[in-house]
Amino acid sequence: TGKTPESAAENLAKGIRLDADITFRDIQAEAQIVRDSSGLYQIELTSPSHLKGLSATFDGQTVQISYLGFQFDVDAADYPEVSLASSIAQVLDEAAAGTAESMTKTDLGYVLTGETDSGSYSLYLDLETLAPISLAVPDLELSCTFSPIPESSVSSAPEESL
């Protein structure tokens, strides 16, 4: 069966649970990315050690940061690390909405290309499962590789704001 941008979007819109190895300029980090079917994201850093446990929750409008028991809302543009997480979420949202500009089959997987506020991107999806496997946003010097998180090992789903 042929894979289409619509089938990729449908798959991503169901929800995403990924481990991510991230390179952002000179920063190396690892994170867990969870997107539920409503589009709410939680991105929690698991390394480097001085940022372990820092999490950002996005609902498309507001970014809420949680770290060491503190929670506060921020403007992503003011903080590069938050901007990084926001950029990843924007690309995954665009792919889930089916608004990527193109989808091409390559030896590495299907590649969705498009543009967000952060610049142009290439999001690679697994040939069989259509799960995200890598992302590049050259304008931000951002690249990520993804691997799925088994359901049983996700630390927590995004929580509703009170």
Side-chain angles (χ1 to χ4, degrees):
T1 63
K3 308 286 189 198
T4 65
E6 292 77 20
S7 60
E10 220 172 87
N11 186 58
L12 293 169
K14 291 177 187 171
I16 301 168
R17 297 179 183 282
L18 302 168
D19 278 323
D21 288 317
I22 302 166
T23 302
F24 178 58
R25 298 180 185 138
D26 59 351
I27 299 169
Q28 293 285 327
E30 294 177 358
Q32 283 193 338
I33 300 172
V34 177
R35 178 191 188 277
D36 70 17
S37 59
S38 74
L40 184 68
Y41 282 89
Q42 182 172 359
I43 299 176
E44 182 173 335
L45 292 177
T46 55
S47 80
S49 59
H50 66 282
L51 293 176
K52 185 175 181 171
L54 173 70
S55 78
T57 303
F58 303 93
D59 64 7
Q61 306 292 320
T62 308
V63 180
Q64 184 178 70
I65 300 297
S66 300
Y67 190 56
L68 300 175
F70 295 98
Q71 290 188 341
F72 46 95
D73 293 342
V74 298
D75 181 346
D78 293 339
Y79 299 92
E81 295 79 3
V82 176
S83 178
L84 145 80
S86 175
S87 298
I88 294 169
Q90 276 186 349
V91 170
L92 293 173
D93 269 352
E94 185 163 296
T99 54
E101 292 169 14
S102 71
M103 181 167 136
T104 310
K105 186 176 182 178
T106 71
D107 291 343
L108 299 174
Y110 289 101
V111 61
L112 292 173
T113 56
E115 194 154 331
T116 66
D117 296 343
S118 304
S120 60
Y121 68 83
S122 298
L123 175 66
Y124 285 84
L125 306 176
D126 183 89
L127 287 170
E128 293 302 313
T129 66
L130 296 177
I133 52 177
S134 69
L135 168 66
V137 184
D139 293 348
L140 287 182
E141 299 174 56
L142 168 65
S143 63
C144 308
T145 56
F146 303 114
S147 55
I149 301 172
E151 287 284 335
S152 60
S153 65
V154 174
S155 61
S156 64
E159 295 175 17
E160 293 284 326
S161 298
L162 297 178

